[in-house]
Amino acid sequence: MSNTPLARLRWRCRRGTKELDALYGWWLENRYPDADPAAQQAFEELLDVQDPDLWDWTIGRGEAPRADWRDIIDAIRAQHRL
């Protein structure tokens, strides 16, 4: 695997479940390249969150504490009708 920043992010999108892998991998491949630097940074920081919290926020069982994270999660939820 290449050692480029995008390749490292692809690796970080590999989570504990295939569902999270697919959802966050989708955002990386489809939204990250055109996102502004602040949104890209927010996504990178969001990937530091533990899987149970990330899953709960993604399926609507809770809400991320940061607005920029909520924007990313909302885009994922809208795309995948969650």
Side-chain angles (χ1 to χ4, degrees), residues 7-61:
R8 284 192 296 272
L9 285 173
R10 277 189 197 102
W11 181 255
R12 291 183 63 208
C13 283
R14 294 185 61 180
R15 310 303 296 196
T17 66
K18 288 183 182 182
E19 293 85 359
L20 285 175
D21 294 358
L23 295 170
Y24 286 84
W26 170 84
W27 200 91
L28 176 66
E29 297 300 330
N30 294 283
R31 297 289 178 92
Y32 185 90
D34 297 324
D36 62 52
Q40 290 177 342
Q41 181 67 36
F43 181 73
E44 292 172 27
E45 293 167 358
L46 182 58
L47 294 178
D48 290 332
V49 171
Q50 296 293 314
D51 286 355
D53 291 331
L54 199 56
W55 180 248
D56 284 347
W57 301 338
T58 303
I59 63 168
R61 253 193 234 150

